[in-house]
């Protein structure tokens, strides 16, 4: 036995070993603890995020787009609704037998199996869209086949129960879900709502686990439903009348606006040609998307004389029975302003005749009176007439109607520009300035309603989230466009124009019907005007004791040998006047 | 007599027969550290089990909610489809082309002369 092994004696080497091991263990334990502290405490958030990234999924909850409704004799009927359709797609990696798969799919969709096969084989992507807008039935049939590598995703589309009715006025929703043209574009924010969000810890199949404290759910805010001022029956009949009227005169396009002069509410607005907004992607000429009644200004022609006369009466430089000597032509800035042949040569005329016989030189004479001189369209005349055009009748600026791509039109500057006298003389009979049919309708409304310019409006009310209906009240943009007496004088003169027409239009004396034709030369982009190309226009009103509807008609380039305004646009107005009186509650005169 | 009893007897030399005395019982019995630890562990396990039960139950509500939401979605789709169908049945084209409309006689306009 060595001394070290003796009991009771210390064993230094053994103690040292224990101490070393103990220390080592402590160090290892401390290291482990330290590492755990680092991972669990210091790096807690980092690893928490990594773990959550695997478990958490984020979903966007789409908001339901608001519907669009229209008036139907006191009730409302839907014009635009939403429907769910399906997009068929394939992942070529998982398709085992392409030939068999595409045949089965084509049998359901009714499309070409060969096209499907080409798409799948030609694509390098793992997401090949084979068909869009499949119905719920087709969706079910394809799902039942359980084809590997084939999937369907639900997509919301707009549905149009009335097909192409009021198409340009409504616009459409494009593939990105954004409103394009018409009311869909103008009210995109109101209609679209706001998508919601769900961020949740899910199980392996993606079902959110309710117990997770990290779940975040923001409910979507659905778009608001909109009720239009449009009367469905009137809109339908207007579209029929417009199409028939254009066919009669071999015109390829035209527009009509019917507006309530006492509120600015648009009751019907139509354009031809039109399209089916549910199939907007099939349209080749995108110009057809435009609501030409608000987006396509034109030189309106002689219908402008009504407003020139109204301005002259309002300025008290003329009276309805004022007689003046008309020289039959004016020479301004080395150009001659003349009349149509039917007016005849020089002679004494009245203001009413300026409208009745559509005398250009009479309108120019009237303009000259605004400057206090005959023979010149001086600065004062130009400034005063410009004030009426731009401020009273609000030409040269958008009306603010709820439509996409509304045009401002143009009004020449009264102080700067080339051949100002001639240009302003031309504006007095609707050339050298442009306006949309809606601007004309709003301006005439303000003249015949006693002098209040209402902003034209298409939205009658909005249905709030609570279900309450928020009515949109008429917006007055200007009071005193013309004096009340002027309003009555202009009504009488326009009524006279219709009643003295030969042959006399068949309207009952119980109603007041007034109007004025316009035949406008079409401007040549290279300068000047085309020789034999004209647009026909007509502005008028229908009512009893007071005008109840204002109507503006535009016919583009009718193929007839007569004046476009009287031969093409006027018959459409007459048909519409009959339609309004017979079917749309025009109140007859009380006496 | 055990050793402990003997000690106890020795510790009470003054106690005589029939003599009233006050008996002092030992302080309330307390559990030892091992028992305490076991009970604590058992309680912790119980709480854990309770927690797991509740979490599982809550998560099962998640599946119920999910299922109900799917049902709601299907019903909403059906409602939308019905609304569209109703609107299409009332469309002006369909009404004007209906067999009833075709048998109608045009009314004489009352407001205007023709």
């Amino acid at each position: 036995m060595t001394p070290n092994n003796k009991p009771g004696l210390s064993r230094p080497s053994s103690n040292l070993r224990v101490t070393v091991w103990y220390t080592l263990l402590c160090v290892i334990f401390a290291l482990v603890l330290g590492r755990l502290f680092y991972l669990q405490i210091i790096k807690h958030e980092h690893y928490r995020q990594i773990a959550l990234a695997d478990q958490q999924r984020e979903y966007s909850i789409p908001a339901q787009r608001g519907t669009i409704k229209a008036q139907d004799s006191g009730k409302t009927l839907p014009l635009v609704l939403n429907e769910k359709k399906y997009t068929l797609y394939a992942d070529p990696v998982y398709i085992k037998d392409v030939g068999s798969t595409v045949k089965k799919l084509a049998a359901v969709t009714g499309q070409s199996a060969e096209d499907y096969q080409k798409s799948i084989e030609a694509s390098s992507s793992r997401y090949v869209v084979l068909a869009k807008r499949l119905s719920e039935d087709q969706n079910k049939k394809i799902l039942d086949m359980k084809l590997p590598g084939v999937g369907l995703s639900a997509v919301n589309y707009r549905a149009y129960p009335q097909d192409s009715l009021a198409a340009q006025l409504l616009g459409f929703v494009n593939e990105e879900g954004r409103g394009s043209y018409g009311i869909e574009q103008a009210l995109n924010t109101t209609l679209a709502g706001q998508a919601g969000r769900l961020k949740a810890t899910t199980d392996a199949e993606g079902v959110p686990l309710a117990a997770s404290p990290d779940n975040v759910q923001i409910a979507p805010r659905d778009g608001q439903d909109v009720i239009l001022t449009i009367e469905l029956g009137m809109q339908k009949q207007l579209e029929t009348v417009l199409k028939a009227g254009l066919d009669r005169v071999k015109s390829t396009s035209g527009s009509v606006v019917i507006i309530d002069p006492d509120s600015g509410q648009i009751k019907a607005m139509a354009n031809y040609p039109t399209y089916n907004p549910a199939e907007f992607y099939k349209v080749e000429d995108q110009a057809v998307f435009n609501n030409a009644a608000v987006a396509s200004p034109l030189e309106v022609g002689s219908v402008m004389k009504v407003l020139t006369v109204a301005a002259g009466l309002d300025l008290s430089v003329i009276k309805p029975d004022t007689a003046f000597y008309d020289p039959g032509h004016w020479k301004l800035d080395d150009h001659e302003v003349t009349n149509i042949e039917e007016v005849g040569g020089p002679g004494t005329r009245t203001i009413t005749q300026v409208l009745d016989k559509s005398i250009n030189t009479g309108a120019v004479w009237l303009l000259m009176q605004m400057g206090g001189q005959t023979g010149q369209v001086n600065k004062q005349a130009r400034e005063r007439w410009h004030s009426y055009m731009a401020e009273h009748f609000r030409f040269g600026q958008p009306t603010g109607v709820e439509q996409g791509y509304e045009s401002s039109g143009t009004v020449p500057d009264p102080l700067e520009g080339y051949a100002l006298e001639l240009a302003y003389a031309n504006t007095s009979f609707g050339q050298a300035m442009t306006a949309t049919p809606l601007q004309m309708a709003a301006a005439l409304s303000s003249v015949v309603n006693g002098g209040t310019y209402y902003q034209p409006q298409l939205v009658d009310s909005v249905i709030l989230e609570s279900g309450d209906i928020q009515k949109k009240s008429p917006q007055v943009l200007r009071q005193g466009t013309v004096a009340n007496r002027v309003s009555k004088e202009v009504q009488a003169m326009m009524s006279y124009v219709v009643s003295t027409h030969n042959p006399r239009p068949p309207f009952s004396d119980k109603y007041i019907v007034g109007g004025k034709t316009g035949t406008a030369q079409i401007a040549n982009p290279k300068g000047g005007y085309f020789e034999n190309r004209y647009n026909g226009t007509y502005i008028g009103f229908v009512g009893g004791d007071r005008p109840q509807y204002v109507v503006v008609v535009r016919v583009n380039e009718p193929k007839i040998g007569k004046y476009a305004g009287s031969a093409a646009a006027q018959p459409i107005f007459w048909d519409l006047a009959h339609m309004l009186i017979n079917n749309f509650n025009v109140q007859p005169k009380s006496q | 007599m055990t050793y402990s009893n003997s000690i106890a007897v020795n510790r009470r030399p003054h106690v005589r027969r029939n003599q009233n005395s006050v008996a002092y019982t030992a302080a309330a019995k307390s559990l030892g550290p091992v028992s305490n630890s076991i009970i604590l562990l058992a309680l912790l396990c119980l709480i854990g089990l309770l927690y797991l039960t509740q979490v599982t139950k809550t998560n099962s509500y998640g599946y119920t909610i999910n299922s109900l939401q799917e049902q709601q979605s299907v019903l909403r789709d059906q409602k939308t489809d019905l609304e569209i169908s109703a609107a299409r049945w009332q469309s002006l084209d369909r009404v004007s082309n209906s067999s009833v409309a075709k048998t109608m006689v045009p009314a004489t306009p009352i407001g205007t002369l023709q």
Side-chain angles (χ1 to χ4, degrees):
Chain A
M1 184 180 282
T2 63
N4 282 347
N5 291 335
K6 284 179 184 173
L9 295 176
S10 64
R11 291 177 292 179
S13 65
S14 173
N15 282 348
L16 183 66
R17 205 180 302 143
V18 168
T19 308
V20 168
W21 276 112
Y22 183 73
T23 311
L24 197 65
L25 267 175
C26 284
V27 168
I28 290 169
F29 193 62
L31 281 174
V32 170
L33 269 182
R35 182 68 182 160
L36 284 175
F37 182 81
Y38 174 75
L39 291 176
Q40 295 187 7
I41 309 295
I42 296 173
K43 298 290 281 184
H44 168 80
E45 196 53 37
H46 171 71
Y47 286 104
R48 186 170 171 275
Q49 290 305 324
I50 291 175
L52 285 177
D54 279 347
Q55 298 161 8
Q56 277 200 331
R57 295 191 193 184
E58 194 163 347
Y59 305 88
S60 171
I61 310 171
Q64 188 87 346
R65 197 174 174 89
T67 62
I68 302 174
K69 297 174 181 176
Q71 312 289 331
D72 181 35
S73 307
K75 295 180 292 176
T76 60
L77 270 183
L79 270 176
V80 187
L81 294 165
N82 299 303
E83 69 180 332
K84 196 181 274 184
K85 292 202 171 180
Y86 297 86
T87 298
L88 173 65
Y89 63 88
D91 182 350
V93 172
Y94 289 102
I95 299 180
K96 289 171 187 167
D97 181 353
V98 177
S100 154
T101 302
V102 294
K103 274 182 192 165
K104 286 177 185 170
L105 291 175
V108 177
T109 62
Q111 294 172 358
S112 161
E114 283 177 9
D115 289 348
Y116 285 173
Q117 187 153 4
K118 278 180 197 164
S119 302
I120 292 170
E121 288 171 354
S123 174
S124 56
S125 165
R126 289 188 57 186
Y127 181 78
V128 184
V129 174
L130 298 177
K132 286 182 173 179
R133 300 167 192 269
L134 298 183
S135 67
E136 181 63 43
D137 282 350
Q138 289 171 316
N139 172 53
K140 276 181 188 160
K141 280 179 187 166
I142 294 170
L143 285 179
D144 288 346
M145 288 193 280
K146 292 181 180 164
L147 298 169
V150 172
L152 291 129
S153 56
V155 183
N156 274 321
Y157 287 102
R158 293 299 240 179
Y160 301 88
Q162 304 285 346
D163 296 323
S164 63
L165 190 77
Q168 283 109 341
L169 182 157
L170 294 172
F172 57 88
V173 177
N174 65 19
E175 296 290 350
E176 286 81 43
R178 219 175 20 253
S180 296
Y181 298 91
I183 205 133
E184 292 276 18
Q185 179 175 323
L187 297 185
N188 188 53
T189 313
T190 308
L191 289 165
Q194 203 164 23
R197 194 164 65 96
L198 172 63
K199 191 177 172 185
T201 306
T202 65
D203 69 0
E205 290 185 352
V207 178
L209 300 176
S212 171
D214 296 312
N215 288 359
V216 177
Q217 180 163 12
I218 300 166
R221 193 166 53 78
D222 287 343
Q224 293 173 338
D225 295 341
V226 170
I227 301 173
L228 302 183
T229 55
I230 294 294
E231 273 287 345
L232 267 184
M234 193 187 294
Q235 179 74 23
K236 177 68 185 168
Q237 289 187 41
L238 166 60
E239 291 188 9
T240 308
V241 168
L242 175 63
K243 167 84 170 59
L246 295 177
D247 287 347
R248 271 199 305 263
V249 295
K250 299 185 179 69
S251 166
T252 54
S253 58
S255 309
V256 177
V257 177
I258 302 177
I259 193 170
D260 176 356
D262 290 324
S263 65
Q265 289 193 343
I266 298 166
K267 296 296 179 187
M269 179 157 59
N271 301 284
Y272 185 85
T274 185
Y275 70 103
N276 184 350
E279 297 180 337
F280 70 88
Y281 49 90
K282 291 182 180 172
V283 172
E284 289 174 1
D285 179 11
Q286 296 205 349
V288 83
F289 292 146
N290 259 328
N291 181 356
V294 302
S296 174
L298 78 161
E299 295 187 44
V300 294
S302 293
V303 293
M304 191 69 180
K305 287 173 189 155
V306 173
L307 302 181
T308 314
V309 167
L313 291 168
D314 200 50
L315 287 168
S316 297
V317 296
I318 53 163
K319 288 180 182 170
D321 56 354
T322 299
F324 65 98
Y325 178 74
D326 172 28
H329 70 98
W330 295 104
K331 193 159 188 181
L332 298 163
D333 291 324
D334 294 331
H335 287 78
E336 200 137 33
V337 176
T338 56
N339 296 310
I340 56 172
E341 284 177 24
E342 286 81 347
V343 172
T348 301
R349 317 277 186 203
T350 63
I351 296 302
T352 305
Q353 282 178 321
V354 171
L355 292 185
D356 188 30
K357 304 208 175 295
S358 200
I359 305 170
N360 292 346
T361 48
V364 176
W365 175 86
L366 203 162
L367 180 61
M368 290 169 173
Q369 303 317 297
M370 293 185 200
Q373 279 182 305
T374 298
Q376 276 189 339
V377 181
N378 61 16
K379 184 182 165 198
Q380 187 189 356
R382 296 197 301 271
E383 282 183 332
R384 290 176 100 176
W385 176 222
H386 178 268
S387 161
Y388 271 88
M389 282 195 290
E391 292 163 27
H392 290 237
F393 304 134
R394 300 180 67 85
F395 293 125
Q397 55 189 306
T399 63
V401 70
E402 305 92 337
Q403 287 287 285
Y405 301 118
E406 190 190 6
S407 177
S408 304
T410 52
V411 175
D413 191 287
L415 303 177
E416 287 182 15
Y418 172 73
L420 278 178
E421 279 204 75
L422 177 68
Y424 261 75
N426 284 340
T427 61
S428 69
F429 50 88
Q431 302 273 179
M433 54 80 66
T434 61
T436 64
L438 184 66
Q439 284 175 317
M440 285 305 295
L444 180 64
S445 294
S446 76
V447 171
V448 299
N449 73 7
T452 305
Y453 188 106
Y454 289 101
Q455 182 181 48
Q457 70 178 75
L458 270 168
V459 175
D460 172 80
S461 47
V462 171
I463 302 174
L464 303 175
E465 250 181 309
S466 59
D468 295 338
I469 295 177
Q470 189 179 56
K471 197 98 176 157
K472 187 175 175 184
S473 49
Q475 300 289 308
V476 176
L477 297 184
R478 187 182 177 99
Q479 289 282 12
T481 304
V482 292
N484 196 37
R485 67 164 173 87
V486 174
S487 176
K488 287 190 167 57
E489 287 166 355
V490 172
Q491 281 180 43
M493 281 194 273
M494 289 179 75
S495 183
Y496 176 82
V497 170
V498 170
S499 63
T500 56
H501 189 273
N502 188 18
R504 189 171 188 269
F507 296 113
S508 160
D509 290 338
K510 294 181 200 162
Y511 300 95
I512 179 173
V513 181
K516 173 77 188 85
T517 58
T519 301
Q521 278 186 287
I522 297 174
N524 186 338
K526 293 175 185 168
Y529 291 90
F530 291 112
E531 276 301 314
N532 292 309
R533 292 174 63 183
Y534 299 92
N535 289 326
T537 51
Y538 197 95
I539 60 174
F541 60 83
V542 178
D545 287 331
R546 53 185 287 117
Q548 202 169 324
Y549 295 106
V550 161
V551 181
V552 174
V553 182
R554 166 188 185 170
V555 179
N556 296 327
E557 295 192 60
K559 310 287 184 298
I560 45 169
K562 301 171 189 172
Y563 296 110
S566 53
Q570 183 172 256
I572 293 176
F573 171 78
W574 286 359
D575 287 347
L576 292 173
H578 280 294
M579 174 195 93
L580 291 168
I581 291 169
N582 287 322
N583 303 332
F584 294 101
N585 201 29
V586 176
Q587 296 299 309
K589 291 174 188 169
S590 50
Q591 292 177 345
Chain B
M1 182 177 284
T2 61
Y3 173 72
S4 59
N5 282 346
S6 67
I7 288 173
V9 169
N10 289 338
R11 279 181 186 165
R12 290 184 291 167
H14 55 281
V15 176
R16 295 187 187 119
R17 185 175 293 176
N18 300 325
Q19 185 177 347
N20 288 339
S21 65
V22 177
Y24 291 95
T25 56
K29 283 182 183 175
S30 61
L31 294 171
V34 176
S35 309
N36 273 334
S37 301
I38 290 168
I39 289 168
L40 198 65
L41 270 174
L43 279 173
L44 281 174
C45 286
L46 204 66
I47 290 167
L49 199 67
L50 197 69
Y51 171 75
L52 282 176
T53 315
Q54 290 305 310
V55 167
T56 312
K57 203 172 169 183
T58 313
N59 280 339
S60 75
Y61 286 139
Y63 289 99
T64 312
I65 291 168
N66 196 51
S67 162
L68 288 170
Q69 279 175 339
E70 278 178 13
Q71 277 183 44
Q72 188 188 29
S73 172
V74 169
L75 290 170
R76 194 178 286 157
D77 288 347
Q78 285 176 357
K79 178 176 170 272
T80 307
D81 288 346
L82 288 170
E83 278 175 355
I84 294 168
S85 295
R88 286 199 168 122
W89 279 107
Q90 293 175 75
S91 85
L92 297 172
D93 276 338
R94 188 182 285 270
V95 171
S96 59
N97 291 326
S98 68
S99 53
V100 176
K102 280 176 182 166
T103 58
M104 287 180 172
V105 179
T108 309
I110 52 165
T112 59
L113 312 169
Q114 293 289 323

Coordinates of all heavy atoms in Angstrom, one line a residue, chain B residues 10-51:
Chain B
N10 N -39.3 9.3 29.7 CA -38.3 10.1 30.6 C -38.5 11.6 30.5 O -38.2 12.3 31.4 CB -36.9 9.7 30.1 CG -36.5 8.3 30.5 OD1 -37.2 7.7 31.4 ND2 -35.6 7.7 29.8
R11 N -39.1 12.0 29.5 CA -39.2 13.4 29.3 C -40.5 13.9 30.1 O -40.8 15.1 30.1 CB -39.4 13.8 27.8 CG -38.1 13.9 27.1 CD -38.3 14.3 25.7 NE -37.0 14.2 25.0 CZ -36.9 14.2 23.7 NH1 -38.0 14.3 23.0 NH2 -35.7 14.2 23.1
R12 N -41.3 13.0 30.6 CA -42.5 13.4 31.4 C -42.4 12.8 32.8 O -43.3 12.1 33.2 CB -43.7 12.9 30.6 CG -44.0 13.7 29.3 CD -45.3 13.2 28.7 NE -45.2 11.9 28.2 CZ -46.2 11.2 27.9 NH1 -47.4 11.6 28.0 NH2 -46.1 9.9 27.4
P13 N -41.5 13.1 33.5 CA -41.4 12.5 34.9 C -42.4 13.0 35.8 O -42.8 12.3 36.8 CB -40.0 13.0 35.3 CG -39.7 14.2 34.6 CD -40.4 14.1 33.3
H14 N -43.0 14.2 35.6 CA -44.0 14.7 36.5 C -45.4 14.2 36.4 O -46.3 14.4 37.1 CB -44.0 16.2 36.4 CG -44.3 16.7 34.9 ND1 -43.4 16.6 34.0 CD2 -45.5 17.0 34.3 CE1 -43.9 17.0 32.8 NE2 -45.2 17.2 33.0
V15 N -45.6 13.4 35.3 CA -47.0 13.0 35.1 C -47.3 11.8 36.0 O -46.5 10.8 36.0 CB -47.2 12.5 33.6 CG1 -48.5 12.0 33.4 CG2 -46.9 13.7 32.7
R16 N -48.4 11.9 36.7 CA -48.8 10.8 37.6 C -50.1 10.3 37.2 O -50.9 11.1 36.5 CB -48.8 11.3 39.1 CG -47.4 11.6 39.5 CD -47.4 11.9 41.0 NE -46.0 12.4 41.4 CZ -45.8 13.5 41.9 NH1 -46.8 14.4 42.1 NH2 -44.6 13.9 42.3
R17 N -50.5 9.2 37.8 CA -51.8 8.6 37.4 C -52.9 9.5 38.0 O -52.8 10.0 39.1 CB -51.9 7.2 38.0 CG -53.2 6.5 37.6 CD -53.2 5.1 38.1 NE -52.2 4.3 37.5 CZ -52.0 3.0 37.8 NH1 -52.6 2.5 38.8 NH2 -51.1 2.4 37.2
N18 N -54.0 9.6 37.2 CA -55.2 10.4 37.5 C -55.0 11.9 37.7 O -55.8 12.6 38.2 CB -55.9 9.9 38.8 CG -56.3 8.4 38.6 OD1 -56.7 8.0 37.5 ND2 -56.2 7.7 39.7
Q19 N -53.9 12.3 37.4 CA -53.6 13.7 37.5 C -54.0 14.4 36.2 O -53.6 14.0 35.1 CB -52.1 13.9 37.8 CG -51.8 15.4 38.1 CD -50.4 15.5 38.5 OE1 -49.7 14.5 38.8 NE2 -49.9 16.7 38.5
N20 N -54.8 15.5 36.4 CA -55.1 16.3 35.2 C -53.9 16.9 34.5 O -53.0 17.4 35.3 CB -56.1 17.4 35.5 CG -57.5 16.8 35.8 OD1 -57.8 15.7 35.4 ND2 -58.3 17.6 36.5
S21 N -53.9 16.8 33.3 CA -52.7 17.4 32.6 C -53.1 18.0 31.3 O -54.2 17.6 30.7 CB -51.6 16.4 32.5 OG -52.0 15.4 31.6
V22 N -52.4 18.8 30.8 CA -52.6 19.3 29.4 C -51.7 18.6 28.5 O -50.5 18.5 28.7 CB -52.3 20.8 29.4 CG1 -52.5 21.3 27.9 CG2 -53.3 21.6 30.3
A23 N -52.4 18.0 27.5 CA -51.6 17.3 26.5 C -51.2 18.2 25.4 O -52.0 18.9 24.8 CB -52.4 16.1 26.0
Y24 N -50.0 18.3 25.2 CA -49.5 19.1 24.0 C -49.2 18.2 22.8 O -48.3 17.3 22.9 CB -48.2 19.8 24.4 CG -48.4 20.9 25.5 CD1 -48.3 20.6 26.8 CD2 -48.8 22.2 25.1 CE1 -48.5 21.6 27.8 CE2 -49.1 23.1 26.1 CZ -48.9 22.8 27.4 OH -49.2 23.8 28.3
T25 N -50.0 18.4 21.8 CA -49.7 17.6 20.6 C -48.6 18.3 19.8 O -48.4 19.5 19.9 CB -50.9 17.4 19.7 OG1 -51.4 18.7 19.4 CG2 -52.0 16.6 20.4
A26 N -48.0 17.5 19.0 CA -47.0 18.1 18.2 C -47.6 19.1 17.2 O -48.8 19.1 16.9 CB -46.3 17.0 17.4
A27 N -46.8 20.0 16.7 CA -47.2 21.0 15.7 C -47.9 20.3 14.5 O -47.5 19.2 14.2 CB -46.1 21.9 15.3
A28 N -48.8 21.0 13.8 CA -49.5 20.5 12.6 C -48.5 19.8 11.7 O -47.4 20.3 11.4 CB -50.2 21.6 11.9
K29 N -49.0 18.6 11.2 CA -48.2 17.8 10.3 C -47.9 18.6 9.0 O -48.8 19.1 8.4 CB -48.8 16.5 10.0 CG -48.7 15.5 11.2 CD -49.3 14.2 10.8 CE -49.3 13.3 12.0 NZ -50.0 12.0 11.7
S30 N -46.7 18.7 8.6 CA -46.4 19.3 7.3 C -45.7 18.3 6.4 O -45.1 17.4 6.9 CB -45.5 20.5 7.5 OG -44.3 20.1 8.1
L31 N -46.0 18.5 5.1 CA -45.4 17.6 4.2 C -43.9 18.0 4.0 O -43.5 19.1 4.1 CB -46.1 17.8 2.8 CG -47.5 17.3 2.8 CD1 -48.2 17.7 1.5 CD2 -47.7 15.8 3.0
G32 N -43.2 17.0 3.7 CA -41.8 17.2 3.5 C -41.5 17.8 2.1 O -42.4 17.9 1.3
P33 N -40.3 18.1 1.8 CA -40.0 18.7 0.6 C -40.2 17.8 -0.6 O -40.6 18.3 -1.7 CB -38.5 19.0 0.7 CG -38.0 18.2 1.9 CD -39.2 17.9 2.7
V34 N -40.0 16.6 -0.5 CA -40.2 15.7 -1.6 C -41.7 15.6 -2.0 O -42.1 15.8 -3.2 CB -39.7 14.2 -1.3 CG1 -40.0 13.3 -2.4 CG2 -38.3 14.3 -1.0
S35 N -42.5 15.5 -0.9 CA -44.0 15.5 -1.2 C -44.4 16.8 -1.9 O -45.2 16.8 -2.8 CB -44.8 15.3 0.1 OG -44.3 14.2 0.8
N36 N -43.9 17.9 -1.3 CA -44.3 19.2 -1.9 C -43.9 19.2 -3.3 O -44.7 19.7 -4.2 CB -43.6 20.3 -1.1 CG -44.4 20.7 0.1 OD1 -45.6 20.6 0.1 ND2 -43.7 21.2 1.1
S37 N -42.7 18.8 -3.7 CA -42.3 18.8 -5.1 C -43.2 18.0 -5.9 O -43.6 18.4 -7.0 CB -40.8 18.3 -5.2 OG -40.0 19.1 -4.4
I38 N -43.5 16.8 -5.4 CA -44.4 15.9 -6.3 C -45.7 16.6 -6.5 O -46.3 16.6 -7.6 CB -44.5 14.5 -5.6 CG1 -43.2 13.8 -5.7 CG2 -45.6 13.7 -6.3 CD1 -43.1 12.6 -4.8
I39 N -46.3 17.1 -5.4 CA -47.6 17.7 -5.5 C -47.5 18.9 -6.5 O -48.4 19.1 -7.4 CB -48.2 18.2 -4.2 CG1 -48.5 16.9 -3.4 CG2 -49.3 19.1 -4.3 CD1 -48.8 17.2 -1.9
L40 N -46.5 19.7 -6.4 CA -46.3 20.8 -7.3 C -46.2 20.4 -8.7 O -46.9 21.0 -9.6 CB -45.0 21.6 -6.9 CG -44.9 23.0 -7.4 CD1 -46.0 23.9 -6.8 CD2 -43.5 23.6 -7.1
L41 N -45.5 19.3 -8.9 CA -45.3 18.8 -10.3 C -46.7 18.4 -10.8 O -47.0 18.6 -12.0 CB -44.3 17.7 -10.3 CG -42.9 18.0 -10.6 CD1 -42.0 16.8 -10.4 CD2 -42.7 18.6 -12.0
A42 N -47.4 17.6 -9.9 CA -48.7 17.1 -10.3 C -49.6 18.3 -10.7 O -50.4 18.3 -11.7 CB -49.3 16.3 -9.2
L43 N -49.6 19.4 -9.8 CA -50.4 20.5 -10.1 C -50.0 21.2 -11.5 O -50.9 21.6 -12.3 CB -50.3 21.6 -9.0 CG -51.2 21.3 -7.8 CD1 -50.8 22.2 -6.7 CD2 -52.6 21.4 -8.1
L44 N -48.7 21.3 -11.6 CA -48.2 21.9 -12.9 C -48.7 21.0 -14.1 O -49.2 21.6 -15.1 CB -46.7 21.9 -12.9 CG -46.1 23.1 -12.1 CD1 -44.6 23.0 -12.1 CD2 -46.5 24.4 -12.8
C45 N -48.6 19.7 -13.9 CA -49.1 18.9 -15.0 C -50.6 19.1 -15.3 O -51.0 19.1 -16.4 CB -48.9 17.4 -14.7 SG -47.1 16.9 -14.8
L46 N -51.3 19.2 -14.1 CA -52.8 19.4 -14.3 C -53.1 20.7 -15.0 O -53.9 20.7 -15.9 CB -53.4 19.4 -12.8 CG -54.8 19.0 -12.8 CD1 -55.0 17.6 -13.1 CD2 -55.4 19.3 -11.4
I47 N -52.3 21.7 -14.6 CA -52.5 23.0 -15.2 C -52.2 22.9 -16.7 O -52.9 23.4 -17.6 CB -51.7 24.1 -14.5 CG1 -52.3 24.4 -13.1 CG2 -51.7 25.4 -15.3 CD1 -51.5 25.2 -12.2
G48 N -51.1 22.3 -17.0 CA -50.7 22.1 -18.4 C -51.7 21.4 -19.2 O -52.1 21.8 -20.3
L49 N -52.3 20.3 -18.5 CA -53.3 19.5 -19.2 C -54.5 20.4 -19.5 O -55.1 20.3 -20.6 CB -53.7 18.3 -18.3 CG -54.4 17.2 -19.0 CD1 -53.4 16.5 -20.0 CD2 -54.9 16.2 -18.0
L50 N -54.9 21.2 -18.5 CA -56.0 22.1 -18.6 C -55.8 23.1 -19.7 O -56.7 23.3 -20.6 CB -56.2 22.8 -17.3 CG -57.6 23.5 -17.1 CD1 -58.6 22.4 -16.9 CD2 -57.5 24.4 -15.9
Y51 N -54.5 23.6 -19.8 CA -54.2 24.5 -20.8 C -54.3 23.9 -22.2 O -54.9 24.5 -23.1 CB -52.8 25.1 -20.6 CG -52.2 25.9 -21.7 CD1 -52.7 27.2 -21.9 CD2 -51.3 25.4 -22.6 CE1 -52.2 28.0 -23.0 CE2 -50.8 26.2 -23.7 CZ -51.3 27.4 -23.8 OH -50.8 28.2 -24.9

